[in-house]
Amino acid sequence: MKRILVLGAGGQIGSELVPYLREIYGASNVVATDVKQCDALSAAGPFEIIDALDADGYAAVVDKYKIDAIYNLVALLSATGEKNPQLAMRINMGALQNSLEIAREKGCSLFTPSSIGAFGGEFPRDNTPQDTVMQPNTIYGVCKVAGELLSNYYHTRFGVDTRSVRFPGIISNVTLPGGGTTDYAVEIYYEAVRTGRFTCPISHDVYMDMMYMPDALRAAVELMEADPSKLKHRNSFNIASMSFTPEIIAEAVRRQVPSFTMDYDVEPVKDAIARSWPNKLDDSCAREEWGWKPQWDLDSMTRDMLAAVRRKMDK
Ligand code: AKB
């Protein structure tokens, strides 16, 4: 059985990835770690405090639990990154560098998510290919591209089993995302339930790829379990399930909550970031090389999100 460490487990993805992994591999085989205490995660299995920038402390936990697979989820997101690029570079690159080195020294496999934020510059916005120009103009994107290249380098140079997907904006209902450009697509559901109205920070016609959390979790684990001999790419695979504009998601919410209204107060930094990203990724390489297939679409996700948020608010 694999022994897995999740770095940055208290965030939006980790708080759901840890229970998902514990279901598959057994609670005692999945060590959740974060820079601060997370009661929900520590109540259900092993938990350790790790500062991802403290290489010795990180390595000691990997030794203690005889870890052989790491999911490195530590990152400041795109909008927060622009507020403090130096901090974003230090954290995002520092966590990656320590993860790569520990994976090399201790023979661990390593998953580090990339993002639609890795794209930028002049590239095809529609059906964005797996391999194309990647010249992002956010520090988040620059770190993601550097991360993809470094992860491939560690694979070819040192034989480290590094794998990664380019996550779209992830929509979820356990832990709120913080500081991302795609966060509006989560907030809209909370506001639809809470107040029946939402003020959107992104222009009405800007398309971005999005994905419901259950598909995102399955993608990460399916890639980590994929037969390595079938992988022509490693870092990172385009994956996609849905692409929409604010108008289109508002319409989907309105199909469930007819009185829902939305207006706009466009935030220029977020809007510019959103416009620099793909409209819709081509994920055919992931489909061909490891059988990726999404299960959720906008309407099924909207029904599920609204029900989950209502349950949360009733508590
Ligand atoms: C962000 O908006 O920064 C993230 C991402 C798309 O990587 N959700």
Side-chain angles (χ1 to χ4, degrees):
M1 189 58 90
K2 273 189 178 162
R3 295 187 61 83
I4 298 171
L5 182 144
V6 180
L7 189 71
Q12 185 198 13
I13 299 178
S15 61
E16 296 196 52
L17 181 63
V18 168
Y20 184 76
L21 291 170
R22 284 179 173 162
E23 229 8 84
I24 298 171
Y25 300 101
S28 61
N29 291 317
V30 180
V31 183
T33 77
D34 202 275
V35 71
K36 53 185 188 321
Q37 180 62 32
C38 306
D39 292 339
L41 298 178
S42 61
F47 180 88
E48 299 278 343
I49 300 278
I50 292 184
D51 174 353
L53 303 186
D54 167 16
D56 292 340
Y58 182 175
V61 176
V62 168
D63 285 340
K64 176 176 169 188
Y65 290 93
K66 301 188 171 36
I67 295 299
D68 50 31
I70 297 172
Y71 288 74
N72 162 31
L73 305 180
V74 172
L76 294 196
L77 297 185
S78 54
T80 305
E82 290 316 293
K83 291 190 184 135
N84 193 340
Q86 291 79 5
L87 181 68
M89 181 161 67
R90 199 154 59 78
I91 291 179
N92 297 9
M93 294 311 295
L96 174 70
Q97 191 183 349
N98 286 341
S99 298
L100 286 166
E101 269 302 289
I102 287 170
R104 180 183 71 78
E105 281 168 9
K106 304 190 185 293
C108 303
S109 56
L110 176 62
F111 177 87
T112 305
S114 186
S115 161
I116 52 172
F119 292 97
E122 292 307 311
F123 65 95
R125 294 287 195 277
D126 295 318
N127 295 318
T128 302
Q130 172 69 38
D131 300 308
T132 186
V133 169
M134 298 180 84
Q135 294 176 345
N137 54 13
T138 62
I139 191 65
Y140 177 70
V142 169
C143 292
K144 287 300 183 196
V145 173
E148 292 190 11
L149 294 172
L150 279 167
S151 298
N152 278 339
Y153 178 78
Y154 267 68
H155 175 64
T156 51
R157 177 77 171 78
F158 302 120
V160 180
D161 185 2
T162 53
R163 306 183 189 193
S164 172
V165 295
R166 294 178 183 137
F167 275 138
I170 295 176
I171 296 168
S172 66
N173 51 58
V174 173
T175 303
L176 286 171
T181 302
T182 57
D183 293 4
Y184 90 88
V186 178
E187 290 156 5
I188 190 172
Y189 291 112
Y190 281 82
E191 288 310 312
V193 171
R194 213 182 338 241
T195 63
R197 58 186 308 279
F198 178 61
T199 299
C200 184
I202 305 290
S203 297
H204 70 101
D205 58 348
V206 178
Y207 277 90
M208 283 187 279
D209 277 290
M210 302 280 179
M211 182 173 288
Y212 198 28
M213 183 65 93
D215 272 340
L217 302 178
R218 202 167 41 75
V221 174
E222 282 180 6
L223 175 58
M224 289 304 274
E225 291 294 341
D227 176 352
S229 69
K230 303 256 165 61
L231 301 181
K232 296 193 195 91
H233 297 84
R234 277 181 168 266
N235 305 281
S236 298
F237 282 95
N238 283 3
I239 55 168
S241 69
M242 58 187 102
S243 160
F244 52 74
T245 63
E247 279 301 292
I248 292 171
I249 186 175
E251 209 36 64
V253 172
R254 229 170 273 127
R255 282 195 281 278
Q256 309 299 321
V257 183
S259 57
F260 174 72
T261 58
M262 185 163 87
D263 59 8
Y264 292 87
D265 183 9
V266 171
E267 288 178 30
V269 172
K270 280 191 179 175
D271 202 55
I273 294 174
R275 287 178 189 282
S276 75
W277 288 355
N279 296 338
K280 184 178 185 309
L281 296 180
D282 171 354
D283 62 0
S284 48
C285 290
R287 288 173 185 260
E288 280 156 27
E289 293 175 40
W290 49 279
W292 160 246
K293 196 165 184 288
Q295 291 177 350
W296 292 82
D297 63 15
L298 178 55
D299 281 322
S300 55
M301 175 182 77
T302 296
R303 281 192 295 275
D304 203 63
M305 274 297 287
L306 289 170
V309 173
R310 281 189 194 112
R311 279 195 302 275
K312 268 181 108 163
M313 301 238 170
D314 282 349
K315 272 185 194 160

